[in-house]
Amino acid sequence: DGSYYVGITNDIVRRLYEHNSSRDEKSYTYRLRPVYLVFYQEAPDPNQAIALEKQIKGWTRKKKEALIKRNWEKFKELAACQNDSHFKNFVRQNE
């Protein structure tokens, strides 16, 4: 369906195999197969991996795509606060 699945593992090859060969129809990725690896990031410890996973899951699709493509300029742009109440946006509106 073109969505991006975000997860953590200590064995990336095994995990990718599991996603693509699972017989569990209740599995999230079962209906999305085949699953392809488009990005990975190593973390020094499991707690950091979990925190990074949670952070990325909250990002927009465009921000995830900038990360996948390693487009750091676009990533930086998308990471900037876009809320009307943010001081940069508030100043622009009231100039």
Side-chain angles (χ1 to χ4, degrees), residues 62-77:
K62 288 183 178 186
K63 189 172 177 182
K64 290 173 188 173
E65 288 174 347
L67 177 67
I68 291 164
K69 295 174 184 175
R70 292 172 169 76
N71 183 340
W72 305 125
E73 288 302 314
K74 185 70 172 174
F75 184 82
K76 184 178 174 182
E77 174 188 321

Side-chain angles (χ1 to χ4, degrees), residues 16-28:
L16 190 58
Y17 174 79
E18 288 171 352
H19 279 302
N20 282 310
S21 63
S22 173
R23 299 196 194 295
D24 181 5
E25 293 181 17
K26 294 177 184 174
S27 170
Y28 175 77

